[in-house]
Amino acid sequence: MATKRLARQLGLIRRKSIAPANGNLGRSKSIEFPAVLLNTSTGQIESEFQAYVQPQEHPILSEFCMELTGIKQAQVDEGVPLKICLSQFCKWIHKIQQQKNIIFATGVSEPSTSEVKSCAFVTWSDWDLGVCLEYECKRKQLLKPVFLNSWIDLRATYKLFYRRKPKGLSGALQEVGIEFSGREHSGLDDSRNTALLAWKMIRDGCVMKITRSLNKKLRMHSF
């Protein structure tokens, strides 16, 4: 909560405003696009993806942003536009699908076989896929990959499973006996730690299910 209050004071986010009429969300654009692939049978992270997205409207990072995330100006200067980032991400996903023989849940009814392994995106809250990426793709008129329309909100799942409200990702990890590894608010480190928490919850007996889908026909998937 302290981070959010500071961000509001610095004008990085606005109260009760997700998509203002003037199309400006301040400087709170996503500039790092990370993901990891967790094997839920072994708990091992088998593959990782990371890309830096060039901010178009505000190409110069604020001191607050660099201090919070650890991202340097040179990293985003050498980054790619969101359109290219999504293309690179899709190539990574397709490579995984071929190598691991997996299918990503879309939240709609789909055939499954014993040879195909089910996979789902897991995020800490609905912000990344339900607000930030959704809004940016619409604003920039980009076609968002359909497999990014459904996901598991681990924060909500954690709250229901353990029957307590987590105090952020780091706090949730501490409550189950795991120390946050790496730098908080670094996208890739956050992804790795989200995977660690998901694996711990699965070992504790939690059944992971799709919690949010932007597709019209929703079918709950268990993992």
Side-chain angles (χ1 to χ4, degrees):
M1 291 301 293
T3 299
K4 182 175 288 188
R5 286 197 298 269
L6 179 57
R8 285 198 179 108
Q9 292 171 4
L10 295 176
L12 297 172
I13 58 176
R14 299 180 180 182
R15 294 180 182 274
K16 300 180 180 179
S17 180
I18 294 177
N22 62 7
N24 184 11
L25 278 176
R27 298 178 184 267
S28 58
K29 300 293 188 294
S30 176
I31 54 178
E32 185 181 359
F33 199 113
V36 301
L37 177 68
L38 172 71
N39 185 321
T40 56
S41 296
T42 65
Q44 297 297 312
I45 292 178
E46 297 185 343
S47 185
E48 296 183 340
F49 176 88
Q50 182 188 39
Y52 290 101
V53 179
Q54 289 179 342
Q56 301 298 307
E57 292 86 356
H58 304 287
I60 305 302
L61 299 182
S62 66
E63 290 294 330
F64 172 85
C65 179
M66 290 189 286
E67 182 179 345
L68 181 69
T69 65
I71 297 174
K72 301 182 184 303
Q73 183 65 48
Q75 290 175 300
V76 295
D77 288 343
E78 297 172 359
V80 297
L82 180 58
K83 181 178 181 179
I84 295 178
C85 177
L86 288 173
S87 177
Q88 293 174 345
F89 184 68
C90 285
K91 290 180 180 178
W92 179 70
I93 290 294
H94 293 154
K95 182 179 179 180
I96 286 175
Q97 288 180 307
Q98 293 176 351
Q99 292 179 341
K100 308 292 184 180
N101 196 27
I102 59 178
I103 184 172
F104 284 84
T106 61
V108 298
S109 179
E110 51 199 13
S112 61
T113 65
S114 57
E115 293 82 14
V116 177
K117 301 174 184 177
S118 294
C119 190
F121 288 95
V122 178
T123 64
W124 185 255
S125 86
D126 290 331
W127 170 260
D128 291 335
L129 298 181
V131 180
C132 185
L133 185 61
E134 177 74 5
Y135 173 70
E136 280 295 282
C137 285
K138 287 182 178 179
R139 191 174 69 88
K140 296 180 177 178
Q141 297 182 333
L142 300 177
L143 182 63
K144 189 178 73 172
V146 66
F147 53 73
L148 290 175
N149 281 341
S150 302
W151 62 91
I152 297 170
D153 177 356
L154 196 64
R155 184 174 67 177
T157 303
Y158 179 100
K159 184 177 180 180
L160 288 173
F161 182 69
Y162 291 116
R163 297 183 180 180
R164 59 176 179 261
K165 185 176 180 180
K167 297 179 180 178
L169 176 58
S170 180
L173 285 163
Q174 290 179 358
E175 289 175 349
V176 295
I178 301 175
E179 183 178 352
F180 189 99
S181 177
R183 179 179 185 134
E184 288 187 57
H185 305 298
S186 162
L188 188 56
D189 285 341
D190 282 350
S191 297
R192 291 166 176 164
N193 283 276
T194 300
L196 285 176
L197 180 58
W199 171 236
K200 168 62 175 174
M201 292 173 63
I202 290 171
R203 283 184 293 150
D204 285 349
C206 180
V207 177
M208 297 287 172
K209 295 182 179 181
I210 296 292
T211 59
R212 179 82 184 275
S213 178
L214 302 178
N215 297 315
K216 293 182 179 180
K217 296 180 180 179
L218 173 64
R219 190 186 78 175
M220 300 302 292
H221 293 260
S222 299
F223 299 87

Coordinates of all heavy atoms in Angstrom, one line a residue, residues 51-136:
A51 N 11.3 -9.4 -22.0 CA 11.5 -8.4 -23.0 C 11.2 -7.0 -22.4 O 10.4 -6.9 -21.5 CB 10.6 -8.6 -24.2
Y52 N 11.9 -6.0 -22.9 CA 11.6 -4.6 -22.4 C 10.9 -3.9 -23.5 O 11.3 -4.0 -24.7 CB 12.9 -3.9 -22.1 CG 13.5 -4.4 -20.8 CD1 14.6 -5.3 -20.9 CD2 13.0 -4.1 -19.6 CE1 15.2 -5.8 -19.7 CE2 13.6 -4.6 -18.4 CZ 14.7 -5.4 -18.5 OH 15.3 -5.9 -17.3
V53 N 9.8 -3.2 -23.2 CA 8.9 -2.5 -24.1 C 9.3 -1.0 -24.1 O 9.4 -0.4 -23.0 CB 7.5 -2.7 -23.8 CG1 6.6 -1.9 -24.8 CG2 7.1 -4.2 -23.8
Q54 N 9.6 -0.5 -25.3 CA 9.9 0.9 -25.4 C 8.7 1.8 -25.0 O 7.6 1.7 -25.7 CB 10.4 1.3 -26.8 CG 11.7 0.8 -27.1 CD 12.1 1.1 -28.5 OE1 11.3 1.5 -29.4 NE2 13.4 1.0 -28.9
P55 N 8.7 2.6 -24.0 CA 7.6 3.6 -23.8 C 7.5 4.6 -24.9 O 8.5 5.2 -25.3 CB 8.0 4.2 -22.5 CG 9.1 3.4 -21.9 CD 9.8 2.8 -23.0
Q56 N 6.3 4.7 -25.5 CA 6.2 5.5 -26.7 C 5.9 7.0 -26.3 O 6.5 7.9 -26.8 CB 5.0 5.0 -27.6 CG 5.2 3.6 -28.1 CD 6.4 3.5 -29.0 OE1 6.6 4.2 -29.9 NE2 7.3 2.5 -28.6
E57 N 5.0 7.2 -25.3 CA 4.6 8.6 -25.0 C 5.6 9.2 -24.0 O 5.8 10.4 -24.0 CB 3.2 8.6 -24.3 CG 2.1 8.3 -25.3 CD 1.8 6.8 -25.4 OE1 2.6 6.0 -24.8 OE2 0.9 6.4 -26.2
H58 N 6.2 8.4 -23.1 CA 7.1 8.9 -22.1 C 8.4 8.0 -22.2 O 8.6 7.1 -21.3 CB 6.5 8.8 -20.7 CG 5.2 9.5 -20.6 ND1 5.1 10.9 -20.6 CD2 3.9 9.1 -20.5 CE1 3.8 11.3 -20.5 NE2 3.1 10.2 -20.4
P59 N 9.2 8.3 -23.1 CA 10.4 7.4 -23.3 C 11.5 7.5 -22.2 O 12.3 6.7 -22.1 CB 11.0 7.9 -24.7 CG 10.5 9.3 -24.8 CD 9.1 9.3 -24.1
I60 N 11.4 8.6 -21.5 CA 12.4 8.8 -20.4 C 11.8 8.3 -19.1 O 10.8 8.8 -18.6 CB 12.8 10.3 -20.3 CG1 13.3 10.8 -21.6 CG2 13.9 10.4 -19.2 CD1 14.5 10.1 -22.2
L61 N 12.5 7.3 -18.5 CA 12.0 6.8 -17.2 C 12.2 7.8 -16.1 O 13.1 8.5 -16.0 CB 12.7 5.5 -16.9 CG 12.6 4.3 -17.9 CD1 13.3 3.1 -17.4 CD2 11.1 4.0 -18.1
S62 N 11.2 7.8 -15.1 CA 11.3 8.6 -14.0 C 12.3 8.0 -13.0 O 12.5 6.7 -13.0 CB 9.9 8.8 -13.3 OG 9.5 7.6 -12.8
E63 N 12.8 8.8 -12.1 CA 13.7 8.2 -11.0 C 12.9 7.2 -10.1 O 13.5 6.2 -9.7 CB 14.2 9.4 -10.1 CG 15.2 10.3 -10.8 CD 16.5 9.6 -11.2 OE1 16.9 8.6 -10.4 OE2 17.1 9.9 -12.2
F64 N 11.6 7.5 -9.9 CA 10.8 6.6 -9.1 C 10.7 5.3 -9.8 O 10.9 4.2 -9.1 CB 9.4 7.2 -9.0 CG 8.4 6.3 -8.3 CD1 8.3 6.2 -6.9 CD2 7.6 5.5 -9.1 CE1 7.4 5.3 -6.3 CE2 6.7 4.6 -8.5 CZ 6.6 4.5 -7.1
C65 N 10.4 5.2 -11.1 CA 10.3 4.0 -11.8 C 11.6 3.2 -11.8 O 11.6 2.0 -11.5 CB 9.9 4.3 -13.2 SG 9.7 2.8 -14.3
M66 N 12.7 3.8 -12.0 CA 14.0 3.1 -12.0 C 14.4 2.6 -10.6 O 14.9 1.5 -10.5 CB 15.1 4.1 -12.5 CG 15.0 4.4 -14.0 SD 16.4 5.2 -14.7 CE 16.1 6.9 -14.1
E67 N 14.1 3.4 -9.6 CA 14.3 3.0 -8.2 C 13.5 1.8 -7.8 O 13.9 0.9 -7.1 CB 14.2 4.1 -7.3 CG 14.5 3.8 -5.8 CD 14.3 5.0 -4.9 OE1 14.2 6.1 -5.4 OE2 14.3 4.8 -3.7
L68 N 12.2 1.9 -8.2 CA 11.2 0.8 -7.8 C 11.5 -0.5 -8.5 O 11.5 -1.6 -7.9 CB 9.8 1.3 -8.2 CG 8.7 0.3 -7.8 CD1 8.5 0.2 -6.3 CD2 7.4 0.7 -8.5
T69 N 11.8 -0.5 -9.8 CA 11.9 -1.7 -10.6 C 13.3 -2.2 -10.9 O 13.6 -3.3 -11.2 CB 11.2 -1.5 -12.0 OG1 11.9 -0.5 -12.7 CG2 9.8 -1.1 -11.8
G70 N 14.3 -1.2 -10.8 CA 15.7 -1.6 -11.1 C 15.9 -1.5 -12.6 O 17.1 -1.9 -13.0
I71 N 15.0 -1.2 -13.4 CA 15.1 -1.1 -14.8 C 15.9 0.2 -15.1 O 15.7 1.3 -14.6 CB 13.8 -1.0 -15.5 CG1 13.0 -2.3 -15.3 CG2 14.0 -0.8 -17.0 CD1 11.6 -2.3 -15.8
K72 N 16.9 0.1 -16.0 CA 17.7 1.2 -16.4 C 17.2 1.8 -17.7 O 16.6 1.1 -18.5 CB 19.2 0.8 -16.5 CG 19.8 0.2 -15.3 CD 21.2 -0.2 -15.4 CE 21.8 -0.9 -14.2 NZ 21.6 -0.1 -13.0
Q73 N 17.5 3.1 -17.9 CA 17.1 3.8 -19.1 C 17.6 3.1 -20.4 O 16.9 2.9 -21.4 CB 17.6 5.2 -19.1 CG 17.1 6.1 -20.3 CD 15.6 6.2 -20.3 OE1 15.0 6.6 -19.3 NE2 15.0 6.0 -21.5
A74 N 18.8 2.6 -20.3 CA 19.4 1.9 -21.5 C 18.7 0.7 -21.9 O 18.6 0.3 -23.1 CB 20.9 1.6 -21.2
Q75 N 18.1 0.0 -20.9 CA 17.4 -1.2 -21.2 C 16.1 -1.0 -22.0 O 15.8 -1.7 -22.9 CB 17.0 -2.0 -19.9 CG 18.2 -2.5 -19.2 CD 17.9 -3.1 -17.8 OE1 17.4 -2.5 -16.9 NE2 18.2 -4.4 -17.7
V76 N 15.4 0.1 -21.7 CA 14.2 0.4 -22.4 C 14.5 1.0 -23.8 O 13.8 0.9 -24.7 CB 13.2 1.2 -21.6 CG1 12.6 0.5 -20.5 CG2 13.8 2.5 -21.2
D77 N 15.6 1.8 -23.8 CA 16.1 2.4 -25.1 C 16.4 1.3 -26.1 O 16.2 1.5 -27.3 CB 17.3 3.2 -24.8 CG 17.0 4.5 -24.1 OD1 15.9 4.9 -24.0 OD2 18.0 5.1 -23.6
E78 N 16.9 0.2 -25.6 CA 17.2 -1.0 -26.5 C 16.0 -1.9 -26.6 O 16.1 -3.0 -27.2 CB 18.4 -1.7 -26.0 CG 19.7 -0.9 -25.9 CD 20.8 -1.5 -25.2 OE1 20.6 -2.7 -24.7 OE2 21.9 -0.9 -25.2
G79 N 14.9 -1.6 -26.0 CA 13.7 -2.4 -26.1 C 13.0 -2.4 -27.4 O 13.5 -1.8 -28.4
V80 N 11.8 -3.0 -27.4 CA 11.0 -3.0 -28.7 C 9.6 -2.5 -28.4 O 9.1 -2.5 -27.3 CB 10.9 -4.5 -29.2 CG1 12.3 -5.0 -29.5 CG2 10.3 -5.4 -28.1
P81 N 8.9 -2.1 -29.5 CA 7.5 -1.7 -29.3 C 6.7 -2.8 -28.9 O 7.0 -4.0 -29.1 CB 7.1 -1.2 -30.8 CG 8.4 -0.9 -31.4 CD 9.4 -1.8 -30.9
L82 N 5.5 -2.5 -28.3 CA 4.7 -3.6 -27.7 C 4.3 -4.6 -28.8 O 4.2 -5.8 -28.5 CB 3.4 -2.9 -27.1 CG 2.4 -3.9 -26.5 CD1 3.0 -4.8 -25.4 CD2 1.2 -3.1 -25.9
K83 N 4.0 -4.1 -30.0 CA 3.6 -5.0 -31.1 C 4.6 -6.1 -31.3 O 4.3 -7.3 -31.5 CB 3.3 -4.2 -32.4 CG 2.9 -5.1 -33.5 CD 2.6 -4.3 -34.8 CE 2.1 -5.1 -35.9 NZ 1.8 -4.3 -37.1
I84 N 5.9 -5.7 -31.4 CA 7.0 -6.7 -31.6 C 7.2 -7.6 -30.4 O 7.4 -8.7 -30.5 CB 8.3 -5.9 -32.0 CG1 8.1 -5.2 -33.3 CG2 9.5 -6.9 -32.0 CD1 9.3 -4.3 -33.7
C85 N 7.0 -7.0 -29.2 CA 7.1 -7.8 -28.0 C 6.1 -8.9 -28.0 O 6.4 -10.0 -27.6 CB 7.0 -6.8 -26.8 SG 7.0 -7.7 -25.2
L86 N 4.9 -8.6 -28.3 CA 3.8 -9.6 -28.4 C 4.1 -10.7 -29.4 O 3.9 -11.9 -29.2 CB 2.5 -9.0 -28.7 CG 1.9 -8.1 -27.5 CD1 0.6 -7.4 -28.0 CD2 1.5 -9.0 -26.3
S87 N 4.7 -10.3 -30.5 CA 5.1 -11.2 -31.5 C 6.2 -12.2 -31.0 O 6.2 -13.4 -31.2 CB 5.6 -10.5 -32.8 OG 6.1 -11.4 -33.8
Q88 N 7.2 -11.6 -30.3 CA 8.3 -12.4 -29.7 C 7.7 -13.4 -28.7 O 8.1 -14.5 -28.6 CB 9.3 -11.5 -29.1 CG 10.1 -10.7 -30.1 CD 11.0 -9.7 -29.5 OE1 10.9 -9.4 -28.3 NE2 12.0 -9.1 -30.3
F89 N 6.8 -12.9 -27.9 CA 6.2 -13.7 -26.9 C 5.4 -14.9 -27.5 O 5.5 -16.0 -27.0 CB 5.2 -12.8 -26.0 CG 4.6 -13.6 -24.8 CD1 5.4 -14.0 -23.8 CD2 3.3 -13.8 -24.8 CE1 4.9 -14.6 -22.7 CE2 2.7 -14.5 -23.7 CZ 3.5 -14.9 -22.6
C90 N 4.7 -14.6 -28.5 CA 3.9 -15.6 -29.2 C 4.8 -16.7 -29.8 O 4.5 -17.9 -29.7 CB 3.1 -15.1 -30.3 SG 1.6 -14.1 -29.8
K91 N 6.0 -16.3 -30.3 CA 6.9 -17.3 -30.8 C 7.5 -18.2 -29.7 O 7.6 -19.4 -29.8 CB 8.1 -16.6 -31.5 CG 7.7 -15.9 -32.8 CD 8.9 -15.2 -33.4 CE 8.5 -14.5 -34.7 NZ 9.7 -13.8 -35.3
W92 N 7.7 -17.6 -28.5 CA 8.1 -18.3 -27.3 C 7.0 -19.3 -26.9 O 7.3 -20.5 -26.6 CB 8.5 -17.3 -26.2 CG 8.9 -18.0 -24.9 CD1 10.1 -18.6 -24.7 CD2 8.2 -18.0 -23.7 NE1 10.2 -19.1 -23.4 CE2 9.0 -18.7 -22.7 CE3 6.9 -17.6 -23.3 CZ2 8.6 -19.0 -21.4 CZ3 6.6 -17.8 -21.9 CH2 7.4 -18.5 -21.0
I93 N 5.8 -18.8 -26.9 CA 4.7 -19.7 -26.5 C 4.6 -20.9 -27.5 O 4.4 -22.0 -27.0 CB 3.4 -18.9 -26.4 CG1 3.4 -17.9 -25.2 CG2 2.2 -19.8 -26.4 CD1 3.4 -18.6 -23.9
H94 N 4.6 -20.6 -28.7 CA 4.4 -21.7 -29.7 C 5.6 -22.7 -29.7 O 5.4 -23.9 -29.8 CB 4.4 -21.1 -31.1 CG 3.1 -20.2 -31.4 ND1 3.1 -19.2 -32.3 CD2 1.9 -20.3 -30.8 CE1 1.9 -18.7 -32.2 NE2 1.1 -19.3 -31.3
K95 N 6.8 -22.2 -29.4 CA 7.9 -23.1 -29.2 C 7.7 -24.0 -28.0 O 7.9 -25.2 -28.1 CB 9.2 -22.3 -29.0 CG 10.4 -23.2 -28.9 CD 11.7 -22.3 -28.7 CE 12.9 -23.1 -28.6 NZ 14.2 -22.3 -28.4
I96 N 7.2 -23.5 -26.9 CA 6.9 -24.3 -25.7 C 5.8 -25.3 -26.0 O 5.9 -26.4 -25.6 CB 6.4 -23.3 -24.6 CG1 7.6 -22.6 -24.0 CG2 5.7 -24.1 -23.5 CD1 7.2 -21.6 -22.9
Q97 N 4.8 -24.9 -26.7 CA 3.7 -25.8 -27.1 C 4.2 -27.0 -27.9 O 3.7 -28.1 -27.6 CB 2.6 -25.0 -27.8 CG 1.8 -24.1 -27.0 CD 0.7 -23.3 -27.8 OE1 1.0 -22.7 -28.8 NE2 -0.5 -23.4 -27.3
Q98 N 5.1 -26.7 -28.8 CA 5.6 -27.8 -29.6 C 6.5 -28.7 -28.8 O 6.5 -30.0 -28.9 CB 6.3 -27.2 -30.8 CG 5.4 -26.5 -31.8 CD 6.2 -25.9 -32.9 OE1 7.4 -25.8 -32.9 NE2 5.5 -25.4 -33.9
Q99 N 7.4 -28.1 -28.0 CA 8.4 -28.9 -27.2 C 7.7 -29.7 -26.1 O 8.1 -30.8 -25.8 CB 9.4 -28.0 -26.7 CG 10.4 -27.4 -27.7 CD 11.4 -26.5 -27.1 OE1 11.2 -26.0 -26.0 NE2 12.5 -26.2 -27.8
K100 N 6.8 -29.1 -25.4 CA 6.2 -29.7 -24.2 C 4.8 -30.3 -24.5 O 4.3 -31.0 -23.5 CB 6.0 -28.6 -23.1 CG 7.2 -27.8 -22.8 CD 8.3 -28.6 -22.2 CE 9.5 -27.7 -21.8 NZ 10.6 -28.5 -21.1
N101 N 4.3 -30.2 -25.7 CA 3.0 -30.7 -26.0 C 1.9 -30.3 -25.0 O 1.2 -31.1 -24.4 CB 3.0 -32.3 -26.0 CG 1.8 -32.9 -26.8 OD1 1.2 -32.2 -27.7 ND2 1.5 -34.1 -26.4
I102 N 1.8 -28.9 -24.9 CA 0.8 -28.4 -24.0 C -0.2 -27.5 -24.7 O 0.1 -27.0 -25.8 CB 1.5 -27.6 -22.9 CG1 2.3 -26.4 -23.5 CG2 2.4 -28.5 -22.0 CD1 3.0 -25.6 -22.4
I103 N -1.3 -27.2 -24.1 CA -2.3 -26.3 -24.6 C -2.7 -25.3 -23.5 O -2.8 -25.7 -22.4 CB -3.5 -27.1 -25.1 CG1 -4.5 -26.1 -25.8 CG2 -4.2 -27.8 -24.0 CD1 -5.7 -26.8 -26.5
F104 N -2.8 -24.0 -23.9 CA -3.1 -23.0 -22.9 C -4.6 -22.8 -22.8 O -5.3 -22.7 -23.9 CB -2.4 -21.7 -23.3 CG -1.0 -21.6 -23.0 CD1 -0.1 -22.2 -23.9 CD2 -0.5 -21.1 -21.8 CE1 1.3 -22.1 -23.6 CE2 0.9 -21.1 -21.5 CZ 1.8 -21.6 -22.5
A105 N -5.1 -22.8 -21.6 CA -6.5 -22.7 -21.4 C -7.0 -21.3 -21.9 O -6.4 -20.3 -21.6 CB -6.9 -22.8 -19.9
T106 N -8.1 -21.3 -22.6 CA -8.7 -20.1 -23.1 C -10.0 -19.7 -22.4 O -10.5 -18.7 -22.7 CB -9.0 -20.2 -24.6 OG1 -9.9 -21.2 -24.9 CG2 -7.7 -20.5 -25.4
G107 N -10.4 -20.6 -21.5 CA -11.6 -20.3 -20.8 C -12.9 -20.7 -21.5 O -14.0 -20.5 -21.0
V108 N -12.7 -21.3 -22.7 CA -13.9 -21.8 -23.4 C -13.8 -23.3 -23.6 O -12.7 -23.9 -23.4 CB -14.0 -21.1 -24.8 CG1 -14.2 -19.6 -24.7 CG2 -12.8 -21.4 -25.7
S109 N -14.9 -23.9 -23.9 CA -14.9 -25.3 -24.1 C -14.0 -25.8 -25.2 O -14.0 -25.2 -26.3 CB -16.3 -25.8 -24.4 OG -16.3 -27.2 -24.6
E110 N -13.1 -26.7 -24.9 CA -12.1 -27.1 -25.9 C -11.8 -28.6 -25.7 O -11.8 -29.1 -24.6 CB -10.8 -26.3 -25.9 CG -10.3 -26.2 -24.5 CD -9.3 -25.1 -24.3 OE1 -9.3 -24.2 -25.1 OE2 -8.6 -25.1 -23.2
P111 N -11.5 -29.3 -26.8 CA -11.2 -30.8 -26.7 C -9.9 -31.0 -26.0 O -9.0 -30.2 -26.1 CB -11.2 -31.2 -28.1 CG -10.8 -30.0 -28.9 CD -11.5 -28.9 -28.2
S112 N -9.8 -32.1 -25.2 CA -8.5 -32.4 -24.6 C -8.2 -33.9 -24.7 O -9.2 -34.7 -24.8 CB -8.6 -32.0 -23.1 OG -9.6 -32.7 -22.4
T113 N -7.0 -34.2 -24.7 CA -6.6 -35.6 -24.8 C -5.6 -35.9 -23.7 O -5.0 -35.0 -23.2 CB -6.0 -35.9 -26.2 OG1 -4.7 -35.2 -26.3 CG2 -6.9 -35.5 -27.4
S114 N -5.3 -37.2 -23.5 CA -4.4 -37.6 -22.5 C -3.0 -37.2 -22.8 O -2.1 -37.1 -21.9 CB -4.5 -39.1 -22.2 OG -4.2 -39.8 -23.4
E115 N -2.7 -37.0 -24.1 CA -1.3 -36.7 -24.6 C -1.0 -35.2 -24.4 O 0.1 -34.8 -24.3 CB -1.1 -37.1 -26.0 CG -1.2 -38.6 -26.3 CD -2.6 -39.1 -26.4 OE1 -3.5 -38.3 -26.5 OE2 -2.8 -40.3 -26.3
V116 N -2.1 -34.4 -24.3 CA -1.9 -32.9 -24.2 C -1.9 -32.5 -22.8 O -2.9 -32.9 -22.0 CB -2.9 -32.2 -25.1 CG1 -2.7 -30.7 -24.9 CG2 -2.8 -32.6 -26.5
K117 N -1.0 -31.7 -22.4 CA -1.0 -31.2 -21.0 C -1.6 -29.8 -21.0 O -1.3 -28.9 -21.8 CB 0.5 -31.1 -20.5 CG 1.2 -32.4 -20.5 CD 2.7 -32.2 -20.1 CE 3.4 -33.5 -20.2 NZ 4.9 -33.3 -19.9
S118 N -2.5 -29.5 -20.0 CA -3.1 -28.2 -19.8 C -2.2 -27.3 -19.1 O -1.4 -27.6 -18.3 CB -4.4 -28.4 -19.0 OG -5.3 -29.1 -19.7
C119 N -2.2 -26.0 -19.6 CA -1.4 -25.0 -19.0 C -2.2 -23.7 -18.9 O -3.2 -23.5 -19.6 CB -0.2 -24.7 -19.9 SG 1.1 -23.7 -19.2
A120 N -1.9 -22.9 -17.9 CA -2.7 -21.6 -17.7 C -1.7 -20.5 -17.3 O -0.7 -20.8 -16.6 CB -3.8 -21.8 -16.7
F121 N -2.1 -19.3 -17.6 CA -1.3 -18.1 -17.1 C -1.7 -17.8 -15.6 O -2.9 -17.9 -15.3 CB -1.6 -16.9 -18.0 CG -0.9 -17.0 -19.3 CD1 -1.6 -17.5 -20.4 CD2 0.4 -16.7 -19.5 CE1 -1.0 -17.6 -21.6 CE2 1.0 -16.8 -20.7 CZ 0.3 -17.3 -21.8
V122 N -0.8 -17.6 -14.8 CA -1.0 -17.2 -13.4 C -0.4 -15.8 -13.2 O 0.8 -15.6 -13.5 CB -0.4 -18.3 -12.5 CG1 -0.6 -17.8 -11.0 CG2 -0.9 -19.7 -12.7
T123 N -1.2 -15.0 -12.6 CA -0.8 -13.6 -12.3 C -1.1 -13.2 -10.9 O -1.9 -13.9 -10.2 CB -1.5 -12.6 -13.3 OG1 -2.9 -12.6 -13.0 CG2 -1.2 -12.9 -14.7
W124 N -0.4 -12.2 -10.4 CA -0.7 -11.7 -9.0 C -1.6 -10.6 -9.2 O -1.2 -9.5 -9.5 CB 0.6 -11.3 -8.3 CG 0.3 -10.9 -6.9 CD1 0.3 -9.6 -6.4 CD2 0.0 -11.8 -5.8 NE1 0.0 -9.6 -5.0 CE2 -0.1 -10.9 -4.6 CE3 -0.1 -13.2 -5.6 CZ2 -0.4 -11.5 -3.4 CZ3 -0.4 -13.7 -4.4 CH2 -0.5 -12.8 -3.3
S125 N -2.9 -10.8 -9.1 CA -4.1 -9.9 -9.3 C -4.4 -9.9 -10.8 O -3.7 -10.5 -11.6 CB -3.8 -8.5 -8.8 OG -3.1 -7.7 -9.8
D126 N -5.5 -9.2 -11.1 CA -6.0 -9.1 -12.5 C -5.4 -7.9 -13.3 O -5.7 -7.8 -14.5 CB -7.5 -8.9 -12.5 CG -8.2 -10.2 -12.1 OD1 -7.7 -11.3 -12.3 OD2 -9.4 -10.0 -11.5
W127 N -4.5 -7.2 -12.7 CA -4.0 -5.9 -13.3 C -3.3 -6.2 -14.6 O -3.6 -5.5 -15.6 CB -3.1 -5.2 -12.3 CG -2.4 -4.0 -13.0 CD1 -1.1 -4.0 -13.4 CD2 -3.0 -2.8 -13.3 NE1 -0.8 -2.8 -14.0 CE2 -1.9 -2.0 -13.9 CE3 -4.2 -2.2 -13.1 CZ2 -2.1 -0.7 -14.3 CZ3 -4.4 -0.9 -13.5 CH2 -3.4 -0.1 -14.1
D128 N -2.3 -7.1 -14.6 CA -1.4 -7.2 -15.8 C -2.2 -7.6 -17.1 O -2.0 -6.9 -18.1 CB -0.4 -8.3 -15.5 CG 0.6 -7.9 -14.5 OD1 0.9 -6.7 -14.4 OD2 1.2 -8.8 -13.9
L129 N -3.1 -8.6 -17.0 CA -3.8 -9.0 -18.2 C -5.2 -8.4 -18.3 O -5.7 -8.2 -19.4 CB -3.9 -10.6 -18.2 CG -2.6 -11.3 -18.2 CD1 -2.8 -12.8 -18.2 CD2 -1.8 -10.9 -19.4
G130 N -5.8 -8.2 -17.2 CA -7.2 -7.7 -17.2 C -7.3 -6.2 -17.4 O -8.4 -5.7 -17.9
V131 N -6.3 -5.4 -17.1 CA -6.3 -4.0 -17.2 C -5.2 -3.4 -18.1 O -5.5 -2.9 -19.1 CB -6.3 -3.3 -15.8 CG1 -6.3 -1.8 -15.9 CG2 -7.4 -3.8 -14.9
C132 N -4.0 -3.6 -17.6 CA -2.9 -3.0 -18.3 C -2.7 -3.4 -19.8 O -2.8 -2.6 -20.7 CB -1.6 -3.2 -17.5 SG -0.1 -2.4 -18.2
L133 N -2.5 -4.7 -20.0 CA -2.3 -5.2 -21.4 C -3.6 -5.0 -22.2 O -3.5 -4.6 -23.4 CB -1.8 -6.6 -21.4 CG -1.5 -7.2 -22.7 CD1 -0.3 -6.4 -23.4 CD2 -1.1 -8.7 -22.6
E134 N -4.7 -5.3 -21.6 CA -6.0 -5.1 -22.3 C -6.2 -3.7 -22.8 O -6.5 -3.5 -24.0 CB -7.1 -5.5 -21.4 CG -8.5 -5.4 -22.0 CD -8.9 -6.4 -23.0 OE1 -8.1 -7.4 -23.2 OE2 -10.0 -6.3 -23.6
Y135 N -5.9 -2.8 -22.0 CA -6.1 -1.3 -22.3 C -5.1 -0.9 -23.4 O -5.4 -0.2 -24.3 CB -6.0 -0.5 -21.1 CG -6.0 1.0 -21.4 CD1 -7.2 1.6 -21.8 CD2 -4.9 1.8 -21.2 CE1 -7.2 3.0 -22.1 CE2 -4.9 3.1 -21.5 CZ -6.0 3.7 -22.0 OH -6.0 5.1 -22.3
E136 N -3.8 -1.3 -23.2 CA -2.8 -0.9 -24.1 C -3.0 -1.4 -25.5 O -2.8 -0.7 -26.5 CB -1.4 -1.3 -23.6 CG -0.8 -0.4 -22.5 CD -0.5 1.0 -23.0 OE1 0.5 1.2 -23.7 OE2 -1.4 1.9 -22.7

